[in-house]
Amino acid sequence: MVERSFDVVVVGSGAGGGTVAKELAPLCRQGLRVAVLEWGPKLRESEFTGREIEMADRLYFDGGGVLTRDGAMTLAFARAYGGSTMVYTGTSLPLPEAVVRRWNVPGIEFDDISRRSAKYLAENNVHLLEDERINDNNRLFAAACRRLGFRVEQFPVNVKGCRGAGVCNLGCPNAAKQGTNRVQLPAAEAAGVEVVTNCRVERIGERECFATVANPGFGELSRWEPGEYRIRARAIVVAAGAVNSPALLLRSRLPLRLPALGRYFTAHPALILVGEHDRPISNFHGHPKSYYCDHFAASHGFLLETCMYFPFVTAKNLIGFGAEHAELMRRMDRMQMILVLATDPALPDNRVTVGRDGAPIVSYRFTDGVLDALVASQRAAARIFFAAGCTRVHAPAGASFFIGADQAGRLDELIARRHFRLGTVSISSAHLMGGCRMGSDPATSVTDAWGKVHGVPWLFVADASLFPAAAEINPYVTIMALADRAAERVRARIAELPA
Ligand SMILES: Cc1cc2nc3c(=O)[nH]c(=O)nc-3n(C[C@H](O)[C@H](O)[C@H](O)COP(=O)(O)OP(=O)(O)OC[C@H]3O[C@@H](n4cnc5c(N)ncnc54)[C@H](O)[C@@H]3O)c2cc1C
């Protein structure tokens, strides 16, 4: 086993880890050594082919389809230099004040989160796309929402030089999306932070990590030789994401038992809805996600967002198979698409555990409230499609594969909970949160409000697993704000931690 030693080790390089890496870079100027250990590869620019199956295999855990224990939901999260920011769409919303209030974590103030979020909105070039860059899929959604009196907003996005390839979720082939892979990690490396890719941390011991380096056969070679490593550090920051951070800590021997570890996992369960126009529309090219509707967020617990997925993901999300399925898929150029997301409650039994082999297992139970929200969201989406001029709509809770425009007056009857059966519908999640939640009580939380693990002065968490409950909006900006806090605390405490 090869031995290495650093002052700070960060595990993971996504929204949280990439942010921490950059914010710890000033330590390098003081002569301290900082490393980021990232399981995934750093792809070469030529390897971003935009091909769906190939990129899904290269960039995601289980191709983007990690199943929950009962198989009722798939979870999408990436394994790469930049983590899930490599595949996110880059919609950039700061946390609303009402959510901070609902979180009710002593020490987490709205003004502080807002100030830190604003820093990253500026750093990652977040802005509204010019009107001429909005495609039909998005334009039709916004116009229909306004026609129906639904509140609709344009998403700020973090692109620079977007050429509208439309494949944000397969890794931008034009280097336009400003994830941590483009902004924070290169800045950290330029300042002296060592980013080690293809390096999987197996477990954490007292001020040390045990890791394995193995190159997958694509991407740049790791800067460390393949093999087993024991890495000592004065401080360790875990930022492996809401599934892998709790799993890593559960595999590790911590000095304290933390009953909340792995628990209170939330996911914004989501469905893809499809409407069909009688003519081709621009949908595949252009930024896929320019508008959202939060009209029903407070009253019914769901959000509607524009989206445009790729053939395999789309086909997998349609319910049914055979002639109707094939017919709809052949008409992708006429498709309008909406993603609906439910706000789910943070429950102790929705949780990450680890199997005998140490791999994470996510147990997730849908509450009646979430199922009702998912059904109600399909009715709202169908209304939007018809108001936009669609001739027919496909909804997973629909009484039949297609609901025609002539049936638009009967949506409450045709889209109903009795047609929506878990296991036969394709529910997915790309917003994974919780598992190492912040709080002041070690019985119900894992870290304090600065991401420091209760009772362990050298161990921090800095990613989406910190969320005490769902963000209720797209989460990455908040993850960066929380990671910024954790980095600030590490910088302040490092001198006190024994070498
Ligand atoms: C398809 C998709 C679209 C999205 N779109 C948006 C959007 O538009 N707006 C938004 O706000 N959010 C979006 N998100 C969500 C957002 O990307 C994530 O919430 C965010 O990136 C999570 O940050 P994180 O630091 O918690 O984890 P990640 O960014 O997932 O990073 C975790 C990293 O840790 C690494 N890792 C895991 N285990 C280990 C280990 N044992 N050793 C070493 N490394 C490890 C992983 O390989 C990964 O690189 C999207 C997500 C997906 C999947």
Side-chain angles (χ1 to χ4, degrees):
M1 189 170 293
V2 183
E3 307 250 344
R4 294 277 155 100
S5 152
F6 290 88
D7 292 288
V8 188
V9 160
V10 182
V11 182
S13 69
T19 302
V20 171
K22 181 187 157 263
E23 297 303 327
L24 292 183
L27 296 180
C28 299
R29 285 194 281 280
Q30 297 165 23
L32 273 62
R33 296 191 62 205
V34 179
V36 176
L37 309 181
E38 167 54 58
W39 187 347
K42 182 176 186 185
L43 265 55
R44 302 181 181 91
E45 295 299 337
S46 61
E47 288 174 309
F48 291 96
T49 62
R51 286 189 216 112
E52 184 178 4
I53 305 299
E54 182 177 63
M55 297 315 295
D57 278 346
R58 283 180 179 172
L59 291 176
Y60 287 87
F61 285 91
D62 286 358
V66 173
L67 279 169
T68 52
R69 185 178 200 159
D70 65 0
M73 178 161 63
T74 57
L75 311 176
F77 52 110
R79 175 169 55 203
Y81 176 92
S84 301
T85 77
M86 176 67 89
V87 298
Y88 68 10
T89 321
T91 54
S92 311
L93 293 177
L95 199 65
E97 187 166 8
V99 178
V100 179
R101 236 180 290 123
R102 276 194 281 282
W103 278 10
N104 193 23
V105 176
I108 295 285
E109 306 292 341
F110 173 66
D111 288 349
D112 179 71
I113 298 294
S114 295
R115 181 177 56 78
R116 293 175 198 266
S117 298
K119 177 167 105 177
Y120 295 106
L121 295 178
E123 201 166 292
N124 291 41
N125 199 42
V126 172
H127 62 288
L128 296 177
L129 279 187
E130 306 76 23
D131 201 41
E132 62 272 17
R133 303 183 74 89
I134 309 287
N135 66 15
D136 291 344
N137 185 43
N138 284 284
R139 206 183 296 282
L140 288 162
F141 174 87
C145 284
R146 291 189 190 111
R147 205 165 298 140
L148 292 164
F150 297 171
R151 190 175 49 250
V152 63
E153 301 284 346
Q154 189 174 351
F155 264 125
V157 292
N158 67 0
V159 293
K160 199 182 268 181
C162 175
R163 294 167 65 188
V167 290
C168 309
N169 304 141
L170 303 176
C172 179
N174 300 314
K177 203 174 48 179
Q178 302 296 297
T180 54
N181 57 313
R182 296 284 169 203
V183 183
Q184 283 74 26
L185 290 168
E189 290 191 272
V193 173
E194 200 168 318
V195 180
V196 185
T197 53
N198 303 329
C199 177
R200 174 191 164 155
V201 176
E202 316 287 352
R203 64 189 169 87
I204 291 171
E206 174 81 23
R207 294 190 181 85
E208 62 188 1
C209 297
F210 295 87
T212 305
V213 171
N215 295 310
F218 51 85
E220 295 178 7
L221 293 180
S222 175
R223 60 196 298 160
W224 291 359
E225 288 298 317
E228 313 253 295
Y229 288 81
R230 178 183 186 192
I231 306 125
R232 293 180 183 280
R234 291 159 73 185
I236 296 173
V237 184
V238 177
V243 170
N244 280 306
S245 284
L248 174 57
L249 294 181
L250 285 163
R251 285 197 301 269
S252 305
R253 194 168 299 150
L254 300 180
L256 200 71
R257 205 183 87 75
L258 293 163
L261 182 57
R263 297 182 183 270
Y264 305 99
F265 177 85
T266 56
H268 291 162
L271 293 166
I272 296 174
L273 279 292
V274 173
E276 188 188 319
H277 288 269
D278 58 3
R279 63 190 159 83
I281 60 168
S282 59
N283 51 13
F284 223 81
H285 295 287
H287 194 279
K289 200 183 271 293
S290 303
Y291 285 96
Y292 67 101
C293 168
D294 62 357
H295 191 83
F296 302 93
S299 58
H300 292 77
F302 65 84
L303 288 173
L304 301 136
E305 302 186 350
T306 50
C307 68
M308 188 67 207
Y309 290 101
F310 320 106
F312 178 81
V313 169
T314 304
K316 160 175 103 66
N317 280 279
L318 302 181
I319 309 310
F321 51 88
E324 287 173 317
H325 187 284
E327 184 189 337
L328 184 55
M329 285 305 298
R330 268 196 298 274
R331 293 169 180 252
M332 267 196 95
D333 61 345
R334 291 158 189 240
M335 268 186 200
Q336 189 181 338
M337 234 183 243
I338 297 175
L339 184 76
V340 298
L341 305 97
T343 297
D344 49 341
L347 303 174
D349 288 343
N350 283 350
R351 62 188 292 209
V352 178
T353 53
V354 288
R356 275 173 207 275
D357 59 355
I361 299 168
V362 180
S363 302
Y364 188 93
R365 184 178 66 80
F366 287 89
T367 61
D368 278 337
V370 167
L371 293 173
D372 287 342
L374 286 174
V375 173
S377 68
Q378 295 174 60
R379 294 189 189 122
R383 289 197 173 93
I384 294 171
F385 286 134
F386 288 128
C390 286
T391 53
R392 49 190 189 173
V393 163
H394 171 81
S400 51
F401 189 85
F402 288 115
I403 297 172
D406 57 337
Q407 298 170 296
R410 294 169 50 214
L411 291 177
D412 288 350
E413 169 199 335
L414 294 175
I415 298 179
R417 176 89 180 259
R418 67 181 176 283
H419 306 305
F420 192 66
R421 290 195 307 278
L422 289 176
T424 67
V425 290
S426 187
I427 304 178
S428 60
S429 162
H431 295 172
L432 315 176
M433 299 163 281
C436 300
R437 71 188 328 215
M438 302 175 290
S440 46
D441 181 356
T444 54
S445 64
V446 173
T447 80
D448 68 13
W450 295 89
K452 192 195 70 62
V453 173
H454 295 307
V456 193
W458 49 268
L459 186 58
F460 295 79
V461 176
D463 60 18
S465 68
L466 289 172
F467 286 26
E472 305 178 30
I473 48 125
N474 308 39
Y476 95 82
V477 176
T478 308
I479 297 166
M480 296 182 86
L482 295 179
D484 191 74
R485 288 169 59 88
E488 183 179 314
R489 189 46 59 100
V490 173
R491 286 197 310 268
R493 291 277 165 87
I494 191 73
E496 302 161 15
L497 295 170

